[in-house]
Amino acid sequence: MHPIKKICIIRLSSLGDIILSFPLAAKLKRKFPDAELHYVTRAKYKDAAGLQPSIDKILLLEDSLNDLRKKMKDEKYDLIIDIHKNLKSLYLKTFNARKTVAYKKDTIKKFLLVKFKLNLFERIIPVWERYLLAAEKLIGEYGDFETGTLKIENQKFVEGDYIVIAPSARHFTKTYPAVKFIEAVRKFREMSDLKIVLTGDGSERDTTICKIVESNCDGMMNLCGKLSIKELASVLAGSKAVFCNDSAVLHLAEAVGKRVTAVFGSTVKEFGFFPQLPGSAVMEVNELSCRPCTHFGRESCPLGHFKCMNEINLEIKL
């Protein structure tokens, strides 16, 4: 076999998926310590990919797919691992390496589970493991989920002991209602005066939800929209525990070794994005016949009752 001296991972989006690719990058670097490891992603996720110290070079999809393909061709890769697997990634990798491999999406199984509630998943395989399975023959035995030493900010952003709450998510049906987060915080306040840090990106959705929670609860520190990805990782790493939705914060928190309690509404564990660390947990309503109603998330409950979230009573415990 031709020696592997240059490897490329393709994952164009999104933030959570990129974080879940870090075990693959770390294990590839250990298996091929003398090889260059490159990572292809969209420009908006450059800083996220930059958290992983095993990655030597990041190539960005900006305006032109053709330009990126040419840059990849010039690199003369021995191996390209496609963990995005769409038409763009197919175009980028074809004839651009001596060998290419791709991960299995299980698209049909997900479709049948969402549309007909037909569960054909014999085993629930987490996304990070699916990525590793794509390169299984190259890596060999890859072991359990592991956290890595990420490139995070050393600065301390929050003094004292605290927990982190990320009350928002990209889609409505993946977002635990703000009023219920407020109820959970108030109950927690009866038992503890531990500082609570709110996080989120700078989007109007995240900002609005964090402001609602902050204005209705005491002892909150609202850092929503104020942190870079490296700074957010640092804040998560310094916390006692993290509470969030099925969102990228879940995966980033676990990547820095933090226990997470995640609230799952319209999505389910079969999709692969559930917590992995001992002590982490998922809060969900398993008995609903309408669940899951989506793979990615919806902007409203299709049946109007939103029971998958409204029937969960989150308990904030350390």
Side-chain angles (χ1 to χ4, degrees):
M1 187 175 112
H2 188 278
I4 295 178
K5 295 296 184 181
K6 191 173 284 191
I7 305 169
C8 179
I9 298 172
I10 301 175
R11 183 69 227 189
L12 302 177
S13 65
S14 55
L15 180 56
D17 297 271
I18 290 166
I19 294 165
L20 289 171
S21 73
F22 289 171
L24 171 63
K27 292 174 191 295
L28 282 169
K29 198 65 172 179
R30 286 203 298 270
K31 181 68 175 181
F32 305 101
D34 298 324
E36 283 187 42
L37 180 59
H38 295 187
Y39 200 101
V40 172
T41 191
R42 293 187 181 276
K44 66 184 292 187
Y45 300 113
K46 178 183 178 181
D47 291 343
L51 291 172
Q52 174 51 260
S54 299
I55 296 170
D56 299 303
K57 184 176 181 178
I58 302 171
L59 283 74
L60 301 176
L61 174 57
E62 297 176 284
D63 297 323
S64 171
L65 199 65
N66 288 332
D67 288 348
L68 176 55
R69 177 177 165 79
K70 290 175 183 176
K71 290 178 183 178
M72 292 177 64
K73 189 174 185 64
D74 291 341
E75 295 289 350
K76 296 180 171 58
Y77 292 116
D78 298 301
L79 171 66
I80 292 178
I81 303 174
D82 178 8
I83 56 172
H84 198 98
K85 202 175 180 182
N86 66 358
L87 292 177
K88 287 185 174 67
S89 64
L90 177 64
Y91 176 67
L92 290 172
K93 73 182 180 183
T94 303
F95 303 122
N96 262 356
R98 291 178 179 272
K99 180 179 179 61
T100 64
V101 295
Y103 93 113
K104 185 179 179 182
K105 275 189 169 183
D106 282 333
T107 303
I108 295 176
K109 289 182 180 180
K110 293 174 186 175
F111 173 81
L112 292 174
L113 183 55
V114 169
K115 295 297 182 182
F116 303 105
K117 306 303 179 280
L118 180 61
N119 192 343
L120 299 181
F121 288 90
E122 296 177 1
R123 180 170 79 90
I124 301 176
I125 304 176
V127 168
W128 69 269
E129 186 176 339
R130 291 180 191 169
Y131 293 163
L132 286 170
L133 286 171
E136 182 181 22
K137 292 181 180 179
L138 295 161
I139 297 175
E141 294 294 327
Y142 52 79
D144 297 326
F145 179 78
E146 62 179 86
T147 59
T149 303
L150 304 187
K151 297 178 183 177
I152 64 177
E153 295 291 341
N154 293 323
Q155 178 182 352
K156 190 171 180 62
F157 295 91
V158 185
E159 296 297 329
D161 293 335
Y162 61 94
I163 64 171
V164 171
I165 294 179
S168 186
R170 189 173 181 180
H171 300 283
F172 172 82
T173 58
K174 295 175 73 172
T175 305
Y176 193 56
V179 64
K180 295 186 73 66
F181 262 120
I182 291 167
E183 290 174 5
V185 169
R186 287 176 175 173
K187 288 180 181 178
F188 179 70
R189 275 282 166 260
E190 295 175 0
M191 301 177 290
S192 172
D193 59 356
L194 203 64
K195 187 178 296 183
I196 298 176
V197 176
L198 296 173
T199 64
D201 60 31
S203 67
E204 182 179 355
R205 179 184 185 83
D206 282 26
T207 301
T208 300
I209 292 174
C210 284
K211 283 182 178 178
I212 291 172
V213 176
E214 178 189 22
S215 63
N216 284 277
C217 300
D218 296 327
M220 312 295 283
M221 183 177 183
N222 189 353
L223 296 181
C224 181
K226 299 176 182 178
L227 301 172
S228 68
I229 188 70
K230 286 186 177 181
E231 292 168 342
L232 174 58
S234 177
V235 169
L236 293 171
S239 69
K240 291 294 185 182
V242 178
F243 300 84
C244 61
N245 299 294
D246 177 9
S247 65
V249 170
L250 155 61
H251 310 302
L252 184 57
E254 289 207 313
V256 295
K258 284 297 148 178
R259 173 172 61 87
V260 176
T261 298
V263 187
F264 275 45
S266 60
T267 52
V268 292
K269 295 176 183 177
E270 279 80 358
F271 298 152
F273 294 96
F274 56 98
Q276 295 298 300
L277 294 180
S280 288
V282 169
M283 299 198 69
E284 59 187 337
V285 181
N286 288 310
E287 299 78 18
L288 287 177
S289 61
C290 56
R291 184 171 176 263
C293 66
T294 175
H295 175 206
F296 298 106
R298 292 174 176 267
E299 292 315 307
S300 63
C301 171
L303 298 180
H305 53 61
F306 204 29
K307 288 183 179 180
C308 63
M309 285 295 196
N310 286 327
E311 292 188 356
I312 295 175
N313 293 313
L314 173 65
E315 292 186 45
I316 299 177
K317 296 180 178 180
L318 297 181

Coordinates of all heavy atoms in Angstrom, one line a residue, residues 3 28 30 36 55 119 146 174 189 192 197 216 223 226 232 250 257 310:
P3 N 2.3 4.7 1.0 CA 2.3 5.3 2.4 C 1.4 6.5 2.4 O 1.3 7.3 1.5 CB 3.8 5.7 2.5 CG 4.3 5.8 1.2 CD 3.6 4.7 0.4
L28 N -6.8 9.6 13.8 CA -6.0 9.6 12.6 C -4.6 10.0 12.8 O -3.6 9.5 12.3 CB -6.7 10.4 11.5 CG -7.9 9.8 10.8 CD1 -8.6 10.9 10.0 CD2 -7.4 8.7 9.9
R30 N -2.9 10.0 15.6 CA -2.2 9.0 16.4 C -1.8 7.8 15.5 O -0.7 7.2 15.6 CB -3.0 8.5 17.6 CG -3.1 9.5 18.7 CD -3.5 8.8 20.0 NE -4.7 8.1 19.9 CZ -5.9 8.7 20.3 NH1 -5.9 9.9 20.7 NH2 -7.0 8.0 20.2
E36 N 0.4 14.8 7.3 CA -0.4 16.0 7.4 C -1.9 15.8 7.4 O -2.3 15.0 6.6 CB 0.0 17.0 6.3 CG 1.3 17.6 6.3 CD 1.4 18.7 5.2 OE1 0.5 19.4 5.0 OE2 2.5 18.7 4.6
I55 N -5.4 18.9 13.8 CA -5.6 19.4 12.4 C -4.4 20.3 12.1 O -4.2 21.3 12.8 CB -6.9 20.1 12.2 CG1 -8.0 19.0 12.4 CG2 -7.0 20.7 10.9 CD1 -9.4 19.7 12.5
N119 N -38.9 1.9 13.2 CA -37.5 1.9 13.7 C -36.7 0.7 13.2 O -36.9 -0.4 13.8 CB -37.5 2.0 15.2 CG -36.2 2.4 15.8 OD1 -35.1 2.3 15.1 ND2 -36.1 2.8 17.0
E146 N -13.9 9.5 23.4 CA -12.8 10.2 24.2 C -12.9 11.7 24.0 O -13.4 12.2 23.0 CB -11.4 9.7 23.7 CG -11.1 10.1 22.3 CD -9.7 9.6 21.9 OE1 -9.6 8.5 21.5 OE2 -8.8 10.4 21.9
K174 N -36.6 21.9 18.8 CA -35.4 21.4 19.5 C -35.1 22.3 20.7 O -34.1 22.2 21.4 CB -34.2 21.3 18.6 CG -34.4 20.3 17.5 CD -33.2 20.3 16.6 CE -32.0 19.7 17.2 NZ -30.9 19.5 16.2
R189 N -32.7 27.5 42.5 CA -32.3 28.6 43.4 C -32.7 28.4 44.8 O -32.1 28.9 45.7 CB -32.9 29.9 42.9 CG -32.1 30.6 41.8 CD -31.0 31.4 42.4 NE -30.0 31.8 41.4 CZ -28.9 31.2 41.2 NH1 -28.5 30.1 41.9 NH2 -28.0 31.6 40.3
S192 N -29.7 26.2 45.9 CA -28.3 26.6 45.6 C -28.2 28.0 45.2 O -29.1 28.5 44.5 CB -27.6 25.7 44.6 OG -26.4 26.2 44.2
V197 N -24.5 30.7 34.3 CA -24.1 31.4 33.1 C -24.9 31.0 31.9 O -25.1 29.9 31.6 CB -22.6 31.1 32.8 CG1 -22.1 31.8 31.5 CG2 -21.7 31.6 34.0
N216 N -36.0 37.0 34.3 CA -37.0 36.4 35.2 C -36.3 35.6 36.3 O -37.0 34.9 37.0 CB -37.9 35.5 34.4 CG -39.0 36.3 33.6 OD1 -40.0 36.7 34.2 ND2 -38.7 36.6 32.4
L223 N -23.9 35.7 28.9 CA -22.7 35.8 28.0 C -23.2 35.5 26.6 O -22.3 35.3 25.7 CB -21.6 34.9 28.4 CG -20.9 35.2 29.7 CD1 -19.8 34.2 30.0 CD2 -20.4 36.6 29.8
K226 N -21.4 36.9 23.3 CA -20.2 37.7 23.7 C -19.0 36.8 23.7 O -17.9 37.3 24.0 CB -20.5 38.2 25.2 CG -21.6 39.1 25.3 CD -21.8 39.6 26.8 CE -23.0 40.5 26.9 NZ -23.3 40.8 28.3
L232 N -16.1 30.2 24.4 CA -17.2 29.4 24.9 C -16.7 28.0 25.4 O -17.1 27.6 26.5 CB -18.2 29.2 23.7 CG -19.3 28.2 24.0 CD1 -20.2 28.7 25.2 CD2 -20.2 28.0 22.8
L250 N -24.1 20.9 23.5 CA -24.0 19.6 24.1 C -22.7 18.9 23.7 O -21.9 18.4 24.5 CB -25.2 18.7 23.6 CG -25.1 17.2 23.5 CD1 -24.8 16.6 24.9 CD2 -26.3 16.6 22.9
G257 N -14.9 17.6 28.2 CA -15.0 16.7 29.3 C -16.0 17.0 30.4 O -16.0 16.5 31.5
N310 N -43.2 20.2 26.3 CA -44.0 20.7 27.4 C -44.3 19.7 28.6 O -44.6 20.1 29.7 CB -45.4 21.2 26.9 CG -45.3 22.5 26.1 OD1 -44.5 23.3 26.4 ND2 -46.1 22.6 25.1

